[in-house]
Amino acid sequence: MRYAFWSPKAGTGKTSLAFQVICAYAERYSKKKILAMDICPQADLSELFLGGMTNGGSQNLLSVQAQLPRCTVGGYFQVRLLSPYEVPKFNAYDFITTPSTSNPFIPPNIDLVCGDRLIEIQSDAMNTLANSTGANSWIAITDWVRDLLVPLEGSYDTTFMDCDSHFSLYTQSSLAAADRQILPVLAFDTSRRGVQNAFSLVYGLSLPLPILNAPA
């Protein structure tokens, strides 16, 4: 099962919730193999997994990003930019790290695809490629995250994706690869609007919907 944490409303605690849910789930189901994917240019989830502010999370993330090939979602997207419409030969494990090797407080059954600021730059190229030859090209680009997960089927029991609040193409690709979406909200009216916007973006609805058979 694949879950995507996403809300078009920033500041709802999405990444904090994702981190806590993933760790709690991994501790409760210690025999299951969990994959966490940080598909956000801020890479806050990755820093939390790799040590946070007090245990060198930022430096550990930089070390991961310095690997060759680049061990991040940005490293995978870099491969796909060279072959946007056909799935190339690649090793999916080149883009996966085990955070417990850097942070002993993380359950060892969690693996991580680290976030990367590079994807913000890559998104411009993705948009250009998606619009170059019509609907089929857009579908091919939207399948990039799904294409990364296909060779990992059987290796992981559950996948959690932390998505950027912006409805960028890499966010759309993440949501398209997910089986379920987790939509964090706060007890404010702006969060209600955020839920409406989420349904509008994902399902193409115009909200609020008109009341059917309303009296004249």
Side-chain angles (χ1 to χ4, degrees), residues 81 84-85 122-144 169-170 172:
L81 286 171
Y85 310 122
Q122 293 168 330
S123 66
D124 291 335
M126 293 170 68
N127 287 328
T128 300
L129 291 167
N131 293 307
S132 63
T133 58
N136 289 337
S137 61
W138 183 85
I139 292 172
I141 304 301
T142 306
D143 277 343
W144 280 10
L169 197 49
Y170 51 80
Q172 295 174 44

Side-chain angles (χ1 to χ4, degrees), residues 37-43 46 61 64-82 90 92 94-96 112-123 125-126 144-145 148 170 174:
M37 301 183 69
D38 187 357
I39 312 180
C40 183
Q42 284 76 29
S46 300
L61 177 59
V64 171
Q65 293 173 342
Q67 295 179 24
L68 293 176
R70 193 176 178 96
C71 190
T72 66
V73 65
Y76 166 67
F77 283 171
Q78 196 66 35
V79 171
R80 294 311 310 269
L81 286 171
L82 301 175
F90 67 92
D94 285 344
F95 312 107
I96 295 174
L112 172 67
V113 177
C114 288
D116 196 331
R117 293 189 180 275
L118 186 63
I119 66 173
E120 194 65 54
I121 301 171
Q122 293 168 330
S123 66
M126 293 170 68
W144 280 10
V145 172
L148 174 60
Y170 51 80
S174 307

